[in-house]
Amino acid sequence: MTTPSKTAPKTAPKTLDIQAFRLHLPGAVRPVLTGVDLFVDAGETVALVGESGSGKSLTSRSVLGLLPPGAGTEGTVRVNGEDVLTMTPEQLRGLRTGTASMIFQDPRAAINPLRRIGDFLTESLRLNTRTDRAAATARATEMLDAVGLTAKVLRQYPGQLSGGMLQRVMIAAALMGDPALILADEPTTALDVTTQAEVVALLADLRERFGTGLLFVTHDLGLAAAISDRVYVMYAGRIAETGPAEALFGRPLHPYTAALLDSTPRLDAPQGRLAAIEGRPPSLRDEVPGCPFAARCPLATFLCSQQAPALLPVVGEPTRRTACHHSDQLREMSTDATHA
Amino acid sequence: MPPMPEAAAPAAPPEDSPRTVLQVVGLRRTYGSVQAVDDVSFRLAEGGSLGIVGESGSGKTTTARIVVGLERADAGRVLVHGQDRTRAQRGRAARLARAREVQMVFQDPFLSLDPRTTVGAVLRETLRLHFPDGDHPRRIAELLEQVGLGSREAGALPRQLSGGQRQRVAIARALAVEPSVLVLDEAVAALDVSVQAQILNLLSDIREQTGIGYLFITHDLGVVRCVTDQVIVMRHGAIVEAGATAEVLARPQHPYTRLLLDSVPRPGWDPRGIAAARRAL
Amino acid sequence: MTATVLHRPGLARIRTARAPLYRICLGFVLLVVLLALLAPWLAPYDPNTVDLGNALAGPSGEHLLGVDASGRDTLSRLMTGARTSLLGPLGVVAFSTLAGVAVGVLAAWRGGWLDSVLSRSTELIFAFPGMLLAILIVAVYGEGLLAPVIALAVAYLPYVSRLTRSLVLAERERPYVEAYQVQGHSGLQICLRHVVPSIAPVILAQSTINFGYALLDLAGLAFLGLGVPALTPDWGRMVFDGQSAIQQGYPLSAVVPCAAIVLTVVAFNVVGERWADQVSRRDR
């Protein structure tokens, strides 16, 4: 998968293009999201990584216009070139049933347990596009087949299926409207590890088959590294770092990414104490004039506490961007390490 | 291969073999037609740490709940210091003695604390029950310091604390009883990665200081590698593999253990191969 | 989780822009209670002083709410009557709440056969009309406030015990209860120290609503001439005493206690609903 640089002129609009997105909630001192720049090209898998409260789920939900009550927004969120933030409720409904769809974390919570799977799959198609029952059922059968389930499932209830099968049903439902973009919000967190592999394999298959763009929201760095072309790391409502998965996790250029990698208990890392990040992310009640990670950062200087770093391209690596005043120090450290 | 890990790690033979603090023999439990726990036996050495790994439905949580006493076994015995704790015992003294054998830290730090009780009150309640004559304020300060909380948090209600802080409180509450064994049921699963690392480090510090034994229930092999020295792998209620953690993770014998290891996402990961292997198994 | 139990439409849902329905009702409740407490000092006349010369007189400077057919001052009787009219329901609510919570907690905590026995027997009471039960008991024991209060308390017990049972069942599922069990606390300790206090606000809100209904039922009994002795001032009794006056074209002495009953019941219900709403919102 080639990753076109952001400045390259392109004729077709990007599947998802978020620019300078800012989200403010009533009662919060600082914006929940600030200066979020993110894009997904057609057929591309992009991971959005962050801890709870980083704003990753809020970002993905904003793409469908699912904003919290009272939210104020700035910037643009374009899906296939159309700005979601200025859409009428009618246009939004069209967007959600057609162009973009979402897969939720817990399939059991997202499916009405009293309705048959068939009703769940065909409902939005029949209500919003006036497809007749037979055509909708045919489409549902086709999509179930695509996710590796048989038409028998149509007559079953959610309680009769396992978590992994139910998440396949969710994916089939997301595919019903033939979307250009799928937003997957921690789609495998509620599943067992072996089931997770199956669901991820399925998503990769479908991406190849249908050319769908995928924004994969997760807290799991290993998973993000394993499945995505590019990764965005979020911290306290900002993009901390972005770039190709391999480069970003191999040689992180933001201290937060580096610390997050060090604090993950992995099978291939040296055994012993983990390098935990002390402290916790700033609360929404605290004003953060500088870099939000400064208080926990080993490289932080006076400058960091005063001035928030912009997300800037990395010298010599045009596909990577990082928001750190001291990323050059990290670069030196990693080159030292490779030389040593 | 007998599914019973030996008390001493083969990698590091100790001078005198450590005593067994917890022994589980032939545990069975059925729910209707489902065999939730099927002939499970293992031993935990004094001051050791034993991981139980498995997916949902493997019986690892049921096993833990039987060890703690929240669930009854159909057959089998749970011995702590050679004393059987599966037999029904009545009365206050027996209840307190059982509590001092095994304590538990639950998965969800947001639900395992009473929302209306302050941190200090939680600990005081436990200390009053178990050590009515102790110097409670001093002990509370000690416990809070041991889990990395300050006296400022003593007056806080659970909702004023972060997830990591709550889990620290839950650990302090379990330690207040001074148990021989601490059962940790997915105790770090609900926490963020950076907080999880803090708690895992805290747990290994506490084990070093107090010599308490851990029974660590988890689905995360990275966590197992980090905090246990022995591990058993469970599937469909039965133990499929057991041994020293480093050994099992480096050279898995059972295909299911291998599948679990392969399922951990990493760069160059092959989800299609895993899915195929899972169906084959 | 427990909030679902409480989600019912009520007057408290009527919230036009800043309409202070709840405050007005709370104020009214406080006013009635205060009047009842201070009645002996505030009432302008002795409620039982008969002034036949003035019988059925309309409102005047001397008698603000007029005089009834027996020549007694309606305002004084209303204020003094508030005491029995509030004391009765208070007894009903106190008894039904205490007993209902005990039964509900026991049924939910122990489960098994005890739950079956307790739940089935409270349902048996449900099937039996409370008023009929009260009439039966009063018929056996004769006049006096105690008999109808106990009868109604028994009739109201199932409402409280069923609510308590469902709340305790939900509460004991929460992991913190298991955590206390593991710590070695006895079931009784956990119930009294943690479970009951956390469900108490919901129960209290329900009891406030019950208070209104009990007031209505007791007034109904008094109207039928059951329970309250003849000379004791009581709102239900006053309506009964005033009905002959209505036929003579002087409705005031019956309408005033009627209004008092209706307004008090509505006020108690609005306050209770609001409390229930607040509790469920805090739980979320």
Side-chain angles (χ1 to χ4, degrees), chain A residues 4-275:
Chain A
S5 87
K6 232 178 153 293
T7 45
K10 272 180 65 85
T11 41
K14 294 187 170 68
T15 304
L16 172 64
D17 192 5
I18 301 178
Q19 281 183 6
F21 184 46
R22 193 178 162 94
L23 187 100
H24 203 106
L25 286 182
V29 172
R30 62 181 171 87
V32 190
L33 298 174
T34 317
V36 175
D37 283 307
L38 184 154
F39 70 93
V40 179
D41 266 320
E44 197 184 20
T45 298
V46 172
L48 184 56
V49 182
E51 298 186 278
S52 53
S54 62
K56 59 185 195 303
S57 290
L58 216 50
T59 305
S60 74
R61 296 177 74 88
S62 301
V63 175
L64 289 184
L66 297 165
L67 298 171
T73 57
E74 284 168 43
T76 53
V77 177
R78 290 202 181 85
V79 178
N80 271 354
E82 284 172 67
D83 192 355
V84 173
L85 299 177
T86 56
M87 279 187 181
T88 62
E90 210 127 313
Q91 287 173 308
L92 271 180
R93 211 158 48 229
L95 170 84
R96 290 173 196 159
T97 46
T99 326
S101 54
M102 185 169 245
I103 304 169
F104 293 94
Q105 173 173 0
D106 188 353
R108 264 190 219 291
I111 300 181
N112 182 348
L114 301 177
R115 304 283 303 275
R116 289 176 199 272
I117 300 291
D119 292 334
F120 168 72
L121 286 176
T122 55
E123 191 175 25
S124 87
L125 209 59
R126 279 168 54 211
L127 290 181
N128 292 301
T129 61
R130 304 190 179 284
T131 316
D132 66 43
R133 178 179 272 274
T137 308
R139 173 92 183 144
T141 313
E142 192 189 331
M143 288 305 117
L144 282 177
D145 185 57
V147 299
L149 294 173
T150 59
K152 199 184 95 186
V153 174
L154 286 174
R155 290 186 305 277
Q156 288 182 308
Y157 287 96
Q160 295 169 288
L161 302 180
S162 70
M165 285 169 88
L166 223 46
Q167 196 58 294
R168 284 159 179 266
V169 170
M170 280 299 288
I171 295 171
L175 291 169
M176 285 295 283
D178 195 15
L181 174 70
I182 292 184
L183 305 153
D185 191 353
E186 304 259 8
T188 59
T189 307
L191 305 176
D192 279 323
V193 273
T194 57
T195 321
Q196 162 174 293
E198 219 165 305
V199 169
V200 168
L202 175 67
L203 282 173
D205 275 346
L206 296 173
R207 187 190 63 163
E208 276 165 29
R209 208 169 126 187
F210 298 101
T212 319
L214 179 64
L215 182 66
F216 200 100
V217 179
T218 180
H219 69 279
D220 188 335
L221 294 174
L223 187 60
I227 63 161
S228 57
D229 305 314
R230 285 185 304 117
V231 176
Y232 290 86
V233 178
M234 276 193 99
Y235 185 77
R238 294 162 190 265
I239 304 278
E241 185 175 5
T242 172
E246 209 170 311
L248 191 135
F249 291 129
R251 248 170 352 96
L253 291 183
H254 193 287
Y256 175 64
T257 318
L260 210 52
L261 282 166
D262 287 342
S263 61
T264 310
R266 285 186 297 175
L267 289 170
D268 47 2
Q271 210 160 358
R273 280 182 79 83
L274 296 162

Side-chain angles (χ1 to χ4, degrees), chain C residues 35-239:
Chain C
L35 282 181
L37 286 175
L38 301 177
W41 296 278
L42 290 181
Y45 298 93
D46 184 286
N48 283 323
T49 310
V50 176
D51 178 7
L52 276 175
N54 249 335
L56 294 175
S60 64
E62 251 175 273
H63 300 283
L64 281 175
L65 290 176
V67 178
D68 73 358
S70 311
R72 296 172 294 194
D73 178 49
T74 304
L75 181 63
S76 302
R77 283 187 76 75
L78 196 70
M79 288 166 80
T80 319
R83 310 191 103 193
T84 33
S85 298
L86 294 183
L87 200 64
L90 189 70
V92 172
V93 164
F95 181 83
S96 65
T97 304
L98 284 178
V101 166
V103 168
V105 168
L106 206 62
W109 195 265
R110 274 299 170 82
W113 62 268
L114 191 68
D115 184 18
S116 304
V117 169
L118 289 175
S119 299
R120 291 300 94 76
S121 38
T122 47
E123 271 160 30
L124 209 67
I125 303 175
F126 248 143
F128 207 83
M131 281 292 255
L132 220 59
L133 192 73
I135 291 171
L136 202 74
I137 296 186
V138 174
V140 174
Y141 285 97
E143 267 187 353
L145 198 58
L146 194 63
V149 164
I150 290 177
L152 282 181
V154 171
Y156 276 56
L157 188 147
Y159 294 96
V160 182
S161 72
R162 268 167 57 126
L163 178 67
T164 309
R165 181 174 171 273
S166 66
L167 289 173
V168 172
L169 278 180
E171 195 72 16
R172 76 168 298 184
E173 283 304 306
R174 297 170 69 156
Y176 82 81
V177 174
E178 275 188 350
Y180 278 112
Q181 280 173 332
V182 172
Q183 292 255 292
H185 294 265
S186 71
L188 187 70
Q189 276 174 321
I190 301 172
C191 270
L192 290 183
R193 279 217 212 120
H194 301 281
V195 175
V196 171
S198 56
I199 65 169
V202 186
I203 306 284
L204 282 183
Q206 172 69 42
S207 292
T208 317
I209 296 167
N210 281 355
F211 188 95
Y213 290 122
L215 197 159
L216 210 58
D217 283 355
L218 281 173
L221 280 174
F223 179 79
L224 293 175
L226 297 165
V228 190
L231 282 177
T232 314
D234 177 272
W235 294 351
R237 190 89 201 177
M238 285 168 74
V239 180

